[in-house]
């Protein structure tokens, strides 16, 4: 059973919803109607932070499930929680200043590589079993 991963994916959806709501609030604050994506620099940073986070989530969830199924759920969810934390810090840093995103960006990229390694190790062990 993948109960831990199922619960965790619900948290991921909440993070995506939080990021999307921040864009909605920024649109209202700076009076930028959809489909416009440019305007006030603060809005543009919030919009880009949300878009960047959304672009990485399919990669993240794929790696999360492969590592969780073939390696270990607990370790994978711990890495996933760290990943969500780094993406939240990325979002918060980017909304303040463009340079504020770099540290969390590197940390989240490192965690994606770690999840890839865990998934590969789990798949290798799975296919090499007698």
């Amino acid at each position: 059973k993948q109960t831990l991963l199922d619960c965790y994916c619900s948290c991921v959806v909440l993070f995506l919803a939080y990021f999307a709501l921040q864009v909605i609030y920024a649109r209202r604050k700076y009076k930028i109607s959809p489909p416009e994506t440019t305007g006030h620099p603060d809005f543009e940073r919030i919009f880009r932070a949300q878009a960047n986070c959304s672009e990485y989530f399919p990669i993240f969830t794929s790696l999360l499930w492969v590592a969780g199924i073939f390696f270990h759920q607990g370790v994978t969810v711990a890495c996933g929680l760290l990943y969500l934390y780094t993406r939240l810090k990325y979002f918060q840093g980017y909304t303040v200043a463009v340079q504020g995103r770099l540290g969390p960006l590197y940390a989240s990229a490192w965690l994606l590589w770690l999840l890839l390694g865990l998934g590969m190790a789990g798949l290798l062990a799975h296919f090499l079993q007698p």
Side-chain angles (χ1 to χ4, degrees):
K1 279 207 147 213
Q2 304 301 324
T3 310
L4 199 55
L5 286 174
D6 293 337
C7 292
Y8 179 76
C9 282
S10 299
C11 292
V12 171
V13 171
L14 293 175
F15 264 76
L16 290 174
Y18 169 76
F19 295 149
L21 284 173
Q22 297 310 304
V23 172
I24 292 169
Y25 298 147
R27 282 188 183 283
R28 289 178 184 158
K29 180 178 180 179
Y30 299 110
K31 297 176 178 46
I32 299 172
S33 299
E36 295 296 321
T37 58
T38 58
H40 195 280
D42 290 345
F43 167 76
E44 289 182 16
R45 285 195 308 275
I46 292 168
F47 180 81
R48 281 307 315 150
Q50 183 270 336
N52 290 347
C53 288
S54 295
E55 290 163 358
Y56 275 91
F57 271 103
I59 297 166
F60 165 65
T61 53
S62 299
L63 293 173
L64 180 84
W65 276 97
V66 171
I69 291 169
F70 291 100
F71 188 78
H72 187 274
Q73 272 192 77
V75 173
T76 301
V77 168
C79 289
L81 288 172
L82 285 172
Y83 180 82
L84 285 183
Y85 176 75
T86 61
R87 289 316 278 191
L88 178 63
K89 297 312 271 179
Y90 169 87
F91 187 88
Q92 291 171 339
Y94 202 168
T95 58
V96 174
V98 175
Q99 293 298 336
R101 76 192 199 289
L102 294 178
L105 175 67
Y106 298 141
S108 64
W110 184 86
L111 286 163
L112 287 177
W113 282 107
L114 178 61
L115 284 171
L116 177 65
L118 295 176
M120 296 291 287
L123 284 169
L124 187 63
H126 175 76
F127 287 115
L128 292 180
Q129 284 180 350

